[in-house]
Amino acid sequence: MKKNRLLAKWLNDDLSPDELAAFEAGPDFEKYKKIKEYTNHLEVNDFDENAMLSTILSHKKTTPKVVPLYKKMIFKAAAIFIFALGITFVMNFFIPESQTADFGEKTTFSLPDNSEVVLNSGSEINYKKWNWDNNRHLKLKGEAYFKVAKGHKFEVETRLGKVTVLGTQFNVKVRKNRFDVVCYEGRVKVNYAAMQILLTHGQSVSFENGKEIKITVNSLKPEWMNNQICFYKENIRSLLDEVERQYNIKIELNTKDTIALFTGKLPAKDLETALQIISTTYHLEAKKASGNKIIFDEK
């Protein structure tokens, strides 16, 4: 009740300076502030004291009633709470959910049907909870591993292509102009440009700049989930971009572009070893600059 009285006094600009400061410091103040903007149209008719007195006197057998003036404020506060519940419902079910993994981090979460998702560093997923069981559709930026619960069609949309499954385990990766899909269990359908490809257990497909790349995958799950960064025929720029994501660092490359493609693994939890492998492979010298910056120079 105390909270309601404070809210009511705030709605009527009747708080003391100390009460106002305490109210604005509360955890729900921003929510109340936004809701107030949408509920300014709510009006409660003023009491006509003279008319009420005449009505009471004309009914002598009616017991006089005292109507506290603060009831108007309480009514408006209650209306705002009801409106807030509606806003909360809309936010929970209609506004898209977002899950992210910052550079140097990985994020694991479950979808409404208990499908499991692991986001790799520098990745993001957006989806809607509303009617999820009948419309299992999400948008991916970056890379993620999916363990999909059986049910209706499950779609992963990216800017380069779409992956469709019913219930399976697979990995999707989108970096710049490269699109990789690996099926670890069940079957997945991959749509890329005008092509449609069906993958089964242990199969994969990759495209870069519109061309298909033949790769072989022998692992039981994505290497990055075991803190290894795996590359299949990738150029040095893409390699360094991924190292930046996994270690949350900045890399400067002072060398001529090379057409040599890298296939192999780098550790995701041992920066010194990763830098040594890159330096040896491309005949570079790695130097640590200020902060979290690494500079590669030609030897």
Side-chain angles (χ1 to χ4, degrees):
M1 179 59 71
K2 181 179 180 181
K3 185 175 182 180
N4 288 349
R5 293 291 295 274
L6 287 174
L7 177 59
K9 291 178 68 176
W10 174 70
L11 290 171
N12 286 271
D13 299 320
D14 197 31
L15 291 176
S16 68
D18 291 340
E19 289 176 328
L20 179 61
F23 187 79
E24 291 180 346
D28 296 324
F29 175 70
E30 288 300 323
K31 179 178 67 176
Y32 293 146
K33 183 178 178 181
K34 291 180 180 179
I35 293 173
K36 184 179 180 182
E37 295 175 1
Y38 290 98
T39 55
N40 284 332
H41 67 281
L42 292 174
E43 297 290 344
V44 180
N45 293 331
D46 293 332
F47 286 101
D48 188 338
E49 289 86 355
N50 293 328
M52 182 179 292
L53 179 59
S54 298
T55 301
I56 294 173
L57 293 176
S58 64
H59 296 81
K60 296 181 179 180
K61 295 183 179 180
T62 302
T63 303
K65 295 182 180 180
V66 178
V67 181
L69 294 179
Y70 71 82
K71 281 193 175 182
K72 292 193 295 181
M73 298 184 291
I74 296 299
F75 176 80
K76 190 169 183 178
I80 287 180
F81 277 121
I82 294 173
F83 186 81
L85 289 176
I87 292 294
T88 302
F89 176 83
V90 171
M91 292 181 65
N92 285 340
F93 292 96
F94 291 97
I95 296 178
E97 290 280 326
S98 180
Q99 295 284 349
T100 60
D102 294 332
F103 281 23
E105 298 180 358
K106 296 179 179 64
T107 300
T108 301
F109 64 97
S110 295
L111 294 167
D113 61 351
N114 290 323
S115 293
E116 298 176 10
V117 182
V118 185
L119 272 178
N120 201 356
S121 302
S123 302
E124 179 181 346
I125 275 181
N126 292 283
Y127 66 96
K128 294 181 180 179
K129 287 183 178 180
W130 176 252
N131 198 31
W132 171 260
D133 288 340
N134 296 314
N135 184 28
R136 302 195 297 175
H137 177 91
L138 56 81
K139 295 182 179 180
L140 167 68
K141 296 178 183 178
E143 182 174 14
Y145 173 75
F146 299 87
K147 186 175 182 181
V148 180
K150 294 187 181 299
H152 289 284
K153 180 175 65 176
F154 187 102
E155 290 183 334
V156 178
E157 180 183 344
T158 77
R159 60 182 177 80
L160 293 182
K162 184 172 66 175
V163 181
T164 306
V165 302
L166 292 178
T168 185
Q169 298 182 39
F170 62 101
N171 192 81
V172 182
K173 180 180 180 181
V174 179
R175 303 293 194 197
K176 292 185 176 179
N177 294 323
R178 177 150 175 160
F179 182 43
D180 298 332
V181 181
V182 182
C183 178
Y184 292 97
E185 180 182 292
R187 297 187 302 172
V188 302
K189 182 173 66 176
V190 181
N191 289 87
Y192 179 84
M195 292 178 281
Q196 186 175 100
I197 301 168
L198 185 65
L199 302 179
T200 58
H201 170 72
Q203 293 183 327
S204 62
V205 65
S206 295
F207 297 94
E208 187 167 14
N209 297 319
K211 297 182 179 180
E212 185 175 353
I213 303 171
K214 300 293 184 181
I215 64 174
T216 302
V217 179
N218 298 316
S219 58
L220 298 178
K221 63 171 54 179
E223 288 87 349
W224 59 266
M225 294 179 64
N226 293 321
N227 295 319
Q228 290 184 317
I229 319 172
C230 196
F231 301 93
Y232 297 98
K233 298 180 181 179
E234 298 199 41
N235 61 58
I236 187 172
R237 298 287 178 177
S238 297
L239 182 150
L240 296 181
D241 285 346
E242 196 63 36
V243 173
E244 285 184 327
R245 293 186 189 93
Q246 296 297 327
Y247 286 99
N248 192 21
I249 60 175
K250 296 293 183 181
I251 297 178
E252 180 180 319
L253 180 62
N254 297 325
T255 182
K256 297 178 182 178
D257 284 337
T258 173
I259 61 173
L261 300 179
F262 183 85
T263 296
K265 299 178 182 179
L266 297 177
K269 295 295 183 180
D270 186 346
L271 181 58
E272 293 294 335
T273 299
L275 296 178
Q276 184 177 356
I277 294 173
I278 296 171
S279 298
T280 302
T281 302
Y282 289 98
H283 306 290
L284 301 172
E285 182 178 0
K287 298 178 181 178
K288 290 186 177 180
S290 59
N292 63 341
K293 185 176 182 179
I294 304 295
I295 299 175
F296 279 107
D297 292 315
E298 291 183 347
K299 285 186 178 181

